[in-house]
Amino acid sequence: MTGKLKKSVNDKWLFGVCGGIGEYFNVSGNLVRIIAVLISLTQFPVFILYIILAFLMPSK
């Protein structure tokens, strides 16, 4: 884990949440996106969590 959890400015598709999580855990943002999609297939509302994090996570 590297530093504080912040939205990514370089690796973002919508708000940079998955890219920021990927940078925090030192993994690819695409891997975080794939995991989020797989979790959402199990009926867990990941998109609601994503929107909440988009507003709560600070930008770099």
Side-chain angles (χ1 to χ4, degrees), residues 6 21 36 43 45:
K6 296 183 180 183
I21 292 171
Q43 304 301 321

Side-chain angles (χ1 to χ4, degrees), residues 31 51 59:
L31 178 64
I51 297 298
S59 297

Side-chain angles (χ1 to χ4, degrees), residues 2-3 5 15 19-20 24 28 31 36-37 45 59:
T2 58
L5 181 61
F15 297 106
Y24 183 75
S28 171
L31 178 64
V37 168
S59 297

Side-chain angles (χ1 to χ4, degrees), residues 2-12 15-26 54 56-60:
T2 58
K4 293 186 175 184
L5 181 61
K6 296 183 180 183
K7 290 188 276 188
S8 176
V9 292
N10 298 324
D11 184 17
K12 69 179 192 176
F15 297 106
V17 173
C18 290
I21 292 171
E23 289 175 1
Y24 183 75
F25 288 108
N26 201 23
L56 294 180
M57 282 176 64
S59 297
K60 283 190 174 182

